[in-house]
Amino acid sequence: MRYAAVVDVMPKEGIADPQGQTIEKALPALGYGGVAEIRVGKRIELQLEAAGPDEARERVLEMCERLLANPVIEVYEVTIR
Amino acid sequence: MRYAAVVDVMPKEGIADPQGQTIEKALPALGYGGVAEIRVGKRIELQLEAAGPDEARERVLEMCERLLANPVIEVYEVTIR
């Protein structure tokens, strides 16, 4: 069967996030105050063939470890639909 | 009150997605076949002060139009918690 997967990859807490810092500095200049703790990560959507949702999740988790994320500095979350 | 917002920004359909294409080529070489339609976008998490959830959503949607996304080539979705 074909499954849709969403992978959310975010920088780990404590890891520098230059994109987030840049946005955090830019927003007040545009008139948006009161915004804090901005973190920027990746969202990856894909379709995959698998025998069932558990197999689909396991394969996507493996892909995260090997290619989609950097487990040293990023955390990831997989949603299968 | 303080709200947490998640912004998912994805390339519009038909817009080239070089990151997605690169991953799609790399996966079979790593032994992961049967994966298709890979799209890579951004996930932005932030905290903001607002009077209520509707105001929070409206402000984040405005930030998307002005800074967080490029509405010409990207679609975005805002979730307020």
Side-chain angles (χ1 to χ4, degrees):
Chain A
M1 262 190 69
R2 181 169 254 214
Y3 294 90
V6 175
V7 181
D8 289 317
V9 182
M10 298 300 294
K12 275 188 186 169
E13 245 178 86
I15 296 288
D17 174 11
Q19 281 187 89
Q21 289 164 5
T22 303
I23 294 173
E24 207 157 323
K25 272 188 229 160
L27 283 173
L30 289 172
Y32 301 101
V35 183
E37 290 179 44
I38 305 184
R39 305 289 281 169
V40 180
K42 276 182 296 187
R43 179 188 167 95
I44 304 165
E45 298 179 354
L46 56 89
Q47 310 265 329
L48 80 162
E49 294 289 338
D54 291 347
E55 189 195 300
R57 167 181 302 277
E58 207 170 301
R59 286 185 60 212
V60 177
L61 287 171
E62 254 186 67
M63 291 176 209
C64 287
E65 285 290 325
R66 295 189 58 194
L67 179 70
L68 303 180
N70 178 347
V72 178
I73 57 168
E74 293 171 326
V75 287
Y76 53 84
E77 214 180 286
V78 172
T79 312
I80 302 286
R81 288 177 197 157
Chain B
M1 261 190 71
R2 179 168 255 215
Y3 292 90
V6 175
V7 182
D8 289 317
V9 182
M10 298 300 295
K12 274 188 187 169
E13 245 177 87
I15 296 286
D17 174 12
Q19 280 188 89
Q21 288 163 6
T22 303
I23 294 173
E24 207 157 321
K25 272 189 230 156
L27 283 174
L30 289 171
Y32 301 101
V35 183
E37 289 178 46
I38 305 184
R39 304 290 281 170
V40 180
K42 274 183 297 186
R43 178 188 167 95
I44 303 165
E45 299 178 353
L46 57 89
Q47 309 266 328
L48 80 161
E49 294 289 336
D54 290 349
E55 188 196 299
R57 166 181 304 278
E58 208 170 299
R59 287 185 59 213
V60 176
L61 286 171
E62 252 186 67
M63 291 176 211
C64 287
E65 283 292 324
R66 296 189 58 193
L67 179 71
L68 303 180
N70 178 346
V72 177
I73 57 167
E74 293 170 325
V75 288
Y76 53 83
E77 213 180 287
V78 173
T79 312
I80 303 285
R81 287 177 197 157

